[in-house]
Every structure is written in C-alpha cells, then in structure tokens.
Amino acid sequence: MEFRYIGKSGLRVSTICMGTMTFGSTTTKEEAFKIMDKAYENGINFFDTAELYPVPPKANTTGITEQIVGEWLKTKPRDSIILATKVAGAASGWFVPPIRHGLTAIDSFHIKRAVEGSLKKLQTDYIDLYQMHWPDTVVPIEESLKAFDELVKEGKVRYIGTSNDSAYGLTKANEVAKYEKLTRFESIQNNFSLLNPRFHDELANVCRRENISLLPYSPIAGGVLSGKYNNDFYPSDARFTAYTNNPNIRVQAMAKRFVNDKTLNATVRYIELSHEYGISPVTLAVAYSKHFDFVASTIIGARVLNQLDESLKAFNFKINDELLAKIEEIQKDILYPMG
C-alpha cells in the first residue's frame, strides 16, 4: 500500500480516499457500511464527507451522511482513520445551501456552529482535515482563517483545507496565514479528471511550489468516464439523467457540463485506450487522477458495493510515460471537454 502526506501535515493517507456524498440518499446506511468496510479492508484509511451531504442537498436530508459515517466510525479504531469533512460554503454565490436557514458564510459564527454539529454527528472529538466547501466572496479570508486557527488550537481540528478554489484564492489565503501566523490550508479539493485537466493550468504550479496537496474529486467525471452515458442513451437511474430533467436551470447546466458532445467523444477514446491496456475505463480514470506529484489522494465514490471494484484496481495500476503521452494526445485533440 502506498501512502502520501497531505501538504506539510502529519496526515499520512492512502492514495485513494473513500467519498461518501451519496450515503443517505441513493445509498442506504446498510450499503454504505458495506462500502466503507470494503474500502477499509482494502487499505483505504482516508474518508471524506461534508455537513451538506448527501447529494442532492435537501433541507430534510442534510447531515445524514455524517451521521452514517459517525456510526460506522465507532466500529473501527479511531486513530486508524483519517477523517475529513467540510463546512458548507457561503450562500453569497451560485448556490444557497439548505442549511442554517440559507444564511451560511465562512465567518467565525458559522465555522464554529458547523464544526460542533459535525463533531456531534460524527461521534468523534476531533476532525483530521476540516475543509471550506467553497470560498466566501464577502467575508475577508482573515476572519475565516482566524476561526479555523482557533479550532486547531482547541484540538477540535488537526489541519485545514479548501475546496473548489482558485489559484488566487489559495495563494491569497496562505499568504495571509503566513503573515498573520495562522494555520494554513494544507490541501485543496477540486474537480480533476481525464475530462477536466484544468488543474494543470496554474493550480498545479501553486501546489508544487508551496507543498500543498490536491485531493481530486470526481475522477470518473460523475460516472461519465465509465461509459454509461452515450449520445443515444442516458441510464434512467443515473445522476445526470435526473439533473437533465430537473426544472432548475442551474442543475441542468451542471448536467450539460459533465455530459455533452465533447465529454462523450473523449470518453469513447479513453474507453478504447483502456481496452488497449487491458483495464476498465474506471481504473484508467482513477489511476490518472492519482498519478501526479501534487496529488495526495484521489476521492472515489460508490453508490453500491460492486462499483468499488474497478476503482480499487487503480491501486496497482501505474500510468507510464507511453500511456500518459496517449492521454495527452486525446486532451490536445478535444480541449477542455468540461469547459
């Protein structure tokens, strides 16, 4: 088993992390326990959740995922698990979280309310990695970092990270932390996959120079890279089928970002490439997302137990120079399929 450290932290994590965002919605508690048990038995020691989960976020289901993870956590030695969760991002952006009456912000009040709620639901007295789910465009980052720093000093949180952030946002935050002598972000959790390699453009440079780790999410692009979608068929029980049929135009836009002519055409080529190497497209996608030196651990998901199998095979499959060159050729031919 290969382990890597997150940033400059003492968090030594498996190169694959178990994501939990469907637990409590499309995944039952019983199935979630089976998935987490299998992940743990196969060497995964890193589990990621959020106060907002499960998805899609709804006022009557928010927090169920943390409760399920917390119940499961009691069945394992706590110190054998690296546990990550997130405070919901600010309501000032494109999405208003159905939590704390839609008034969320990354300010001291909400950060402290959120962490207390997460600790209670997770049935633990500390969180290994506490992350900002997305940035706040209104509250100064100084206030956010001071609140996070207090949690670290209190021992409720070991390290902090950001998510869905930009090169500017990450750099600004950590420069403020440096000059104010506050705890810095050790990680950034952003979308990164064969279909969305934009992290290479600038954020990879920031991570390498500052020793910050990417924790990629959606390595199989929400299931698109499995090949289950094509121009003539969308599975009836698939996430982006539901999103496409949703009356909310923002939800429809999310589906279009993941499932469009460019993503589907690129996926066909990645499937052909995976067959050339004798692996599934899922294994190829997960192996790619964890391949790079700026990545600590890539976050996989599973709605049902058997979906784990092909992702776990990526532990033992390495992307060599020849394969990487073929991948990059596809990426040059079909630029930025997800925009």
Side-chain angles (χ1 to χ4, degrees), residues 86-102:
K86 311 175 196 76
V87 51
S92 57
W94 68 275
F95 171 67
V96 176
I99 192 169
R100 291 188 287 284
H101 300 282

Side-chain angles (χ1 to χ4, degrees), residues 11 46-51 66 73 78 81-87 111-131 148 151-152 154-161:
L11 301 178
F46 188 23
F47 293 78
D48 178 75
T49 189
E51 67 163 344
E66 284 189 326
L73 194 63
R78 176 63 183 90
I81 302 290
I82 303 297
L83 179 63
T85 193
K86 311 175 196 76
V87 51
I111 289 170
K112 292 180 179 179
R113 285 293 291 268
V115 80
E116 292 299 337
S118 290
L119 288 168
K120 183 177 181 180
K121 290 190 287 286
L122 292 165
Q123 300 185 56
T124 184
D125 59 353
Y126 71 95
I127 294 162
D128 296 285
L129 179 66
Y130 196 49
Q131 302 155 105
F148 285 128
L151 297 180
V152 173
E154 292 168 2
K156 294 175 181 176
V157 168
R158 292 178 64 190
Y159 298 98
I160 61 171

Side-chain angles (χ1 to χ4, degrees), residues 12 24 45 69 160 173 216 220 250:
R12 183 171 176 265
N45 73 337
V69 173
I160 61 171
I220 61 171
R250 289 185 181 276

Side-chain angles (χ1 to χ4, degrees), residues 39-57:
Y40 186 82
E41 290 161 4
N42 278 272
I44 291 178
N45 73 337
F46 188 23
F47 293 78
D48 178 75
T49 189
E51 67 163 344
L52 192 60
Y53 293 164
V55 296

Side-chain angles (χ1 to χ4, degrees), residues 6-75:
I6 295 177
K8 297 179 181 178
S9 79
L11 301 178
R12 183 171 176 265
V13 295
S14 51
T15 56
I16 294 177
C17 169
M18 190 68 240
T20 63
M21 71 177 186
T22 65
F23 296 176
S25 56
T26 54
T27 303
T28 66
K29 182 173 78 170
E30 292 74 22
E31 191 74 3
F33 269 51
K34 292 176 184 177
I35 289 168
M36 289 187 283
D37 280 339
K38 185 168 184 174
Y40 186 82
E41 290 161 4
N42 278 272
I44 291 178
N45 73 337
F46 188 23
F47 293 78
D48 178 75
T49 189
E51 67 163 344
L52 192 60
Y53 293 164
V55 296
K58 298 177 183 177
N60 64 335
T61 60
T62 293
I64 290 176
T65 303
E66 284 189 326
Q67 292 174 359
I68 291 172
V69 173
E71 288 183 41
W72 176 83
L73 194 63
K74 302 300 286 186
T75 70

Side-chain angles (χ1 to χ4, degrees), residues 196-212:
N196 186 21
R198 277 197 176 276
F199 202 89
H200 286 296
D201 292 352
E202 189 54 38
L203 271 163
N205 187 39
V206 175
C207 286
R208 285 186 173 116
R209 289 179 176 271
E210 300 297 326
N211 197 2
I212 301 162

